[in-house]
Amino acid sequence: MRLPAFAVYLLFCLLSLVATDVFAQSTYTISGYVRGTGNEDALIGATVSVPELRIGAATDARGFYTLQLPEGNHTLQATYIGYELISRTIEVTDRNLTINFALLPANSQLREVVIEANSLQQKLTASQMSVETLTTREAKLLPSLFGEVDLIKTLQLKPGVQSGGEGASGLYVRGGGPDQNLVLLDDAVVYNASHLFGFFSVFNPDAVESVDLYKGGFPAQFGGRLSSVLDVKMREGNQERIGVTGGLGLIASRLTVDGPIVKDKSSFILSGRRTYVDVFTRQINRLQEGKKDFNPIPDYYFYDLNGKANYKLGEKDELFVSGYYGRDFFGFNDADFEFGFDWGNKVGALRWQHKFNPRFQVNTTLSGSSYQYNVSNKIDVFSFNLTSDIRDVALKTDFSLILDKGHTLQFGAMATRHAFTIGRLNFDSDDDRQSFSAGNDYEATEAAAYLADDFQVNSQLSLNYGLRLSAFNSGGKTYSALEPRASARYSLSERTSLKASYASMMQYIHLVANSGASLPTDIWYPSNDYVKPQRSQQVAAGISHLFGEGRYMVTNELYYKWMHRQIDFRDGANLFVNDKLEEEFLFGKGESYGNEVYLEKIKGRTTGWVGYTLSWSYRQFDGINEGRRFPTRYDRRHDVSVVVLHELSKRIHLTGAFVYGTGNAYSLPVARFAFQDVQGKNATVVPVYSDRNSFRLAAFHRLDLGLVLKLKPKRGEADLTFSAYNAYNRRNPYFVYFEQVKDEEDNETLGFRAKQVSLFPVIPAVTYNFKF
């Protein structure tokens, strides 16, 4: 199937090249970039319009726009929330024009309280649905755990998105699992997007320009996962002058430097972040060393580094290189026992952008990605080391061709070479008398080609439809599939639109997890003869209405998702150092459906949003619950989020976020029985469970409060951000266990009592942020 796919892809390339020359130009192309002065970053979702013709276009992820205009004099307007409007009169005669805009920040500092980068009008008229767009400006204003800004936690406040647990940065989107999210950083895959065992994400907000989360209606260029696409774009840096941004928090500090390499031609950005709790714990351990009853505190810290540079080779060519390196370290050492655990990602991407003409451009990206964890342990003379990793090398090319009559074609292809190391164990003794090793290595190739058309039929109707052909080969077994995608928007009026979408997705690699949350020890495993690829189909429909002079928009979306060949594990499955891991798998099906209501306000001194999700999520396996379907652990009937940002004055911003959710589904024992050996001794108590996930934890709710105080330094900008996580000290359940209740006199077991474990009480924090 791979050869025909690429043959079709090459045919489209040739036809497109011919098309650019033969199309009769009754109009001319106006294109360029919209950036912000002072930071030179691309403004994603900025609007460039011609009011008298009632046409316009939004900038893409790189700040680029294109318009088709007839001959004559026209007035272009460039707008972006939080920036001043710029108007420019141009004369269109007999050629295409390049017009760039540099917008000035508005004096009102509204940009600091904007909720969405895209205007509500643009969201109303776009054919794309089920997408959440986020910028670091809004994330930095919201209160956060330990004062550490986290982009993924901000996305968890959107409808249809759940976390993996209290304080966790995982994503469970519309009933999908943690392995069903495609996470991209500048088009390179990130396999584990968490620090601190899932409590923080790997994305440094100072290095990120924007985040798009697709929950459904996926564009054809994305594939490989079932439930969502998280597309993260890094900043490009200032081409005019050196800038420094950073922050000092309770547990971590960060620093970012950007500036020109060659003025107006190339730029760079370097960003780093590190926690320093280990500095204090090591000092405490040293002070307490030698004390009889003191237990040393384990050592933990993480750091990450981001870098990006771009260089203009000419008017039509530009190179971009970006990279990420992050690592977590956890260790414990004493006289008899040594334990070390480290994990992290390495990601790099080289992108070449070429413009054949203002209507036709191509982006070609070579990327590499690696995720690895390593566990080392030494007890007396014995030591072992356990390692697992996944390594990718990928090449992709994406073409964009603007046609007349409202057509924009996108097409391209990709190929990825995967290498897996599954549970590589080495066991040795210092005297070399005992030695043991185990583990498996696998390789796989994944490829795809796609074609999509964004068609503006008329002022009321727009369509986006496409087809993706994917293939996967591992161990001599090849799978292939067609993945159709379609979405439509119909405007009932200038303020109301209907939208609908359908998407089919394939997933060829799978996460082998031994718990409900995504942990560093989870293993990625390829499809093979025994493990078939997962597949999902999702339909969605919604209505959006704009009111209040364009200040408010309410959206209601319904969705239904079928999931085929879902993977779970047998009871008591051995997931570590198992050379026949596939024998532990169970295969079944799943479904999720729900309704998402979203009200947002983006203008004025008070902004924010209210989201409500009513949803169901189920799985069904022959080997679990005697084949009866059961709710997933993160099946959450009701989920509410309320976010408010208020500009009290130009220097003081107040923020608050309230969340409520039905308790997670949980498995608990309903009875116990005891048995003894033949002598009537050594009694063993065995718990008896009912159907999987048949209980519910208590409802989850929490209020976070924040205050941003802008300072007046002699140079640059600075602020103090105060926050209170879990302001009213709600003891939300993290998990439940049972403890024995014993008779005080004879120490006999009388019964068992359920105990709840909660993680975070009220946590105040303060962070100093600066920029100059």
Side-chain angles (χ1 to χ4, degrees):
M1 291 298 294
R2 286 177 291 174
L3 181 58
F6 283 99
V8 172
Y9 156 69
L10 291 174
L11 179 60
F12 279 124
C13 294
L14 293 174
L15 290 175
S16 302
L17 287 170
V18 174
T20 59
D21 293 327
V22 301
F23 284 137
Q25 268 198 333
S26 58
T27 60
Y28 296 92
T29 301
I30 313 301
S31 61
Y33 290 90
V34 181
R35 299 181 182 275
T37 59
N39 56 24
E40 284 296 311
D41 285 333
L43 296 182
I44 303 169
T47 300
V48 180
S49 62
V50 182
E52 65 267 24
L53 298 180
R54 300 188 67 182
I55 61 174
T59 56
D60 62 15
R62 299 172 180 89
F64 185 76
Y65 77 93
T66 58
L67 284 172
Q68 304 297 313
L69 296 180
E71 291 186 352
N73 294 325
H74 305 286
T75 300
L76 289 179
Q77 289 187 352
T79 61
Y80 187 77
I81 295 176
Y83 288 79
E84 295 181 356
L85 180 147
I86 289 183
S87 295
R88 183 175 299 174
T89 301
I90 63 171
E91 182 181 2
V92 180
T93 55
D94 58 351
R95 61 189 178 90
N96 300 322
L97 295 176
T98 299
I99 306 294
N100 297 321
F101 291 93
L103 304 188
L104 293 170
N107 293 330
S108 65
Q109 294 186 344
L110 181 61
R111 68 188 188 279
E112 296 297 340
V113 293
V114 60
I115 296 304
E116 289 291 343
N118 294 349
S119 70
L120 296 182
Q121 185 65 45
Q122 179 197 340
K123 292 181 65 176
L124 185 74
T125 57
S127 57
Q128 178 68 51
M129 66 180 301
S130 304
V131 61
E132 303 291 350
T133 298
L134 179 72
T135 67
T136 57
R137 295 185 185 93
E138 65 192 78
K140 286 183 177 180
L141 286 173
L142 293 176
S144 53
L145 179 61
F146 297 112
E148 286 302 299
V149 175
D150 195 306
L151 300 174
I152 292 184
K153 283 195 178 70
T154 305
L155 287 173
Q156 292 171 358
L157 298 173
K158 303 290 186 175
V161 184
Q162 299 178 19
S163 69
E166 170 74 79
S169 61
L171 290 177
Y172 293 77
V173 180
R174 290 184 170 178
D179 66 321
Q180 295 175 353
N181 307 307
L182 176 64
V183 181
L184 299 171
L185 180 63
D186 278 355
D187 293 329
V189 177
V190 179
Y191 279 100
N192 190 308
S194 299
H195 283 307
L196 190 58
F197 301 98
F199 291 118
F200 297 110
S201 76
V202 300
F203 301 115
N204 184 339
D206 290 339
V208 171
E209 173 64 21
S210 68
V211 178
D212 289 324
L213 176 66
Y214 298 89
K215 301 181 294 184
F218 306 101
Q221 66 263 35
F222 297 123
R225 302 293 188 275
L226 298 189
S227 292
S228 77
V229 178
L230 184 64
D231 189 17
V232 181
K233 301 297 183 185
M234 287 179 57
R235 291 176 51 200
E236 293 181 5
N238 195 319
Q239 292 189 359
E240 294 184 351
R241 61 180 181 272
I242 295 289
V244 178
T245 305
L248 302 173
L250 287 181
I251 66 169
S253 292
R254 62 188 194 277
L255 182 68
T256 300
V257 180
D258 68 329
I261 300 174
V262 178
K263 192 171 182 180
D264 297 326
K265 195 170 186 178
S266 63
S267 64
F268 76 94
I269 180 171
L270 293 173
S271 187
R273 179 176 57 163
R274 191 193 190 281
T275 59
Y276 35 69
V277 175
D278 59 301
V279 175
F280 302 105
T281 58
R282 290 174 186 176
Q283 184 63 28
I284 294 173
N285 288 341
R286 279 194 290 267
L287 293 175
Q288 300 296 322
E289 190 174 358
K291 291 188 177 181
K292 182 178 180 181
D293 297 328
F294 176 72
N295 293 318
I297 303 172
D299 201 20
Y300 174 80
Y301 66 95
F302 73 76
Y303 66 84
D304 46 34
L305 302 169
N306 293 82
K308 187 172 184 177
N310 65 290
Y311 188 85
K312 293 181 179 178
L313 301 175
E315 292 185 0
K316 294 186 176 181
D317 296 279
E318 191 168 3
L319 283 177
F320 301 84
V321 58
S322 58
Y324 168 84
Y325 181 80
R327 206 77 186 164
D328 287 62
F329 296 88
F330 180 88
F332 180 85
N333 295 309
D334 64 14
D336 302 317
F337 177 72
E338 294 182 10
F339 176 80
F341 183 19
D342 63 275
W343 68 95
N345 299 274
K346 291 185 287 187
V347 176
L350 174 65
R351 178 168 63 89
W352 168 44
Q353 177 179 284
H354 176 71
K355 298 176 184 176
F356 297 99
N357 58 50
R359 295 187 177 199
F360 188 33
Q361 67 173 330
V362 59
N363 281 276
T364 301
T365 305
L366 175 65
S367 64
S369 179
S370 171
Y371 172 71
Q372 179 190 61
Y373 76 79
N374 180 72
V375 180
S376 60
N377 193 356
K378 184 173 183 179
I379 303 176
D380 195 17
V381 298
F382 302 101
S383 62
F384 77 86
N385 184 279
L386 177 65
T387 299
S388 284
D389 64 22
I390 178 172
R391 304 173 302 280
D392 286 355
V393 176
L395 178 65
K396 62 175 296 193
T397 182
D398 300 288
F399 290 86
S400 177
L401 174 63
I402 299 174
L403 307 177
D404 286 333
K405 301 180 181 179
H407 281 277
T408 299
L409 288 179
Q410 291 183 313
F411 52 94
M414 59 81 67
T416 302
R417 185 64 175 172
H418 301 286
F420 305 83
T421 298
I422 310 276
R424 178 63 59 191
L425 173 67
N426 292 297
F427 174 82
D428 295 290
S429 61
D430 290 349
D431 57 10
D432 294 329
R433 292 185 178 181
Q434 298 187 32
S435 179
F436 173 78
S437 63
N440 287 322
D441 293 315
Y442 301 96
E443 291 186 343
T445 300
E446 186 172 358
Y450 73 91
L451 171 67
D453 181 19
D454 195 349
F455 181 26
Q456 182 76 32
V457 180
N458 53 45
S459 60
Q460 289 183 295
L461 179 63
S462 63
L463 305 173
N464 189 301
Y465 46 90
L467 185 65
R468 181 182 180 90
L469 173 62
S470 61
F472 188 86
N473 177 271
S474 178
K477 180 66 175 180
T478 299
Y479 294 98
S480 61
L482 289 173
E483 305 174 41
R485 318 282 174 83
S487 60
R489 183 269 305 168
Y490 182 79
S491 296
L492 297 176
S493 68
E494 291 186 355
R495 294 182 174 271
T496 306
S497 66
L498 301 175
K499 295 184 180 183
S501 67
Y502 168 81
S504 175
M505 304 285 280
M506 296 292 295
Q507 180 163 333
Y508 296 101
I509 62 175
H510 321 281
L511 192 65
V512 180
N514 63 347
S515 73
S518 180
L519 296 177
T521 52
D522 294 343
I523 299 168
W524 288 93
Y525 196 86
S527 296
N528 52 32
D529 285 336
Y530 187 79
V531 181
K532 296 181 179 180
Q534 303 177 62
R535 183 163 196 164
S536 73
Q537 299 178 80
Q538 183 179 165
V539 294
I543 182 171
S544 298
H545 178 67
L546 197 63
F547 62 98
E549 298 181 352
R551 292 173 177 264
Y552 301 87
M553 188 167 77
V554 61
T555 300
N556 188 79
E557 286 191 16
L558 297 100
Y559 68 90
Y560 195 99
K561 181 162 59 177
W562 302 265
M563 289 169 282
H564 314 279
R565 297 190 291 272
Q566 297 297 281
I567 296 178
D568 210 314
F569 308 99
R570 305 180 190 278
D571 294 334
N574 175 23
L575 305 185
F576 291 98
V577 197
N578 187 345
D579 288 342
K580 296 182 179 180
L581 191 60
E582 63 272 7
E583 295 181 359
E584 307 288 352
F585 294 169
L586 295 174
F587 302 97
K589 59 184 179 180
E591 62 178 341
S592 63
Y593 48 92
N595 185 40
E596 299 170 0
V597 182
Y598 187 48
L599 171 66
E600 56 184 326
K601 180 177 184 288
I602 69 169
K603 296 180 181 179
R605 295 178 62 183
T606 301
T607 59
W609 69 81
V610 178
Y612 170 69
T613 303
L614 173 67
S615 62
W616 290 261
S617 179
Y618 295 100
R619 298 290 187 273
Q620 187 172 8
F621 299 86
D622 290 340
I624 300 175
N625 288 354
E626 298 180 347
R628 297 186 300 275
R629 74 173 189 171
F630 60 91
T632 63
R633 184 177 178 186
Y634 299 101
D635 169 69
R636 187 171 296 174
R637 198 68 64 244
H638 305 284
D639 190 86
V640 180
S641 61
V642 181
V643 175
V644 178
L645 301 95
H646 178 68
E647 183 184 7
L648 189 64
S649 68
K650 290 184 178 181
R651 294 187 58 198
I652 301 177
H653 298 273
L654 303 177
T655 62
F658 173 78
V659 294
Y660 171 88
T662 301
N664 290 341
Y666 213 71
S667 296
L668 293 173
V670 294
R672 285 176 168 81
F673 68 89
F675 64 90
Q676 298 173 319
D677 58 19
V678 293
Q679 285 81 25
K681 301 179 180 179
N682 302 320
T684 300
V685 178
V686 178
V688 178
Y689 287 85
S690 62
D691 287 354
R692 182 175 291 195
N693 296 339
S694 57
F695 290 89
R696 292 276 178 179
L697 296 180
F700 178 97
H701 53 88
R702 190 187 75 241
L703 174 67
D704 303 332
L705 298 174
L707 183 149
V708 179
L709 174 63
K710 293 185 176 297
L711 306 177
K712 294 183 177 180
K714 294 182 179 180
R715 183 184 176 189
E717 304 173 10
D719 68 63
L720 284 174
T721 300
F722 303 90
S723 65
Y725 181 90
N726 194 11
Y728 56 79
N729 199 32
R730 162 71 176 178
R731 304 301 287 172
N732 286 301
Y734 189 65
F735 66 86
V736 172
Y737 72 96
F738 284 84
E739 68 175 7
Q740 295 185 44
V741 179
K742 294 189 175 183
D743 186 275
E744 295 182 356
E745 295 183 359
D746 54 17
N747 202 35
E748 290 186 359
T749 299
L750 301 178
F752 294 86
R753 178 170 50 204
K755 301 282 288 186
Q756 173 182 298
V757 175
S758 301
L759 286 186
F760 300 115
V762 56
I763 299 178
V766 60
T767 304
Y768 172 70
N769 301 296
F770 57 88
K771 180 179 180 181
F772 57 86

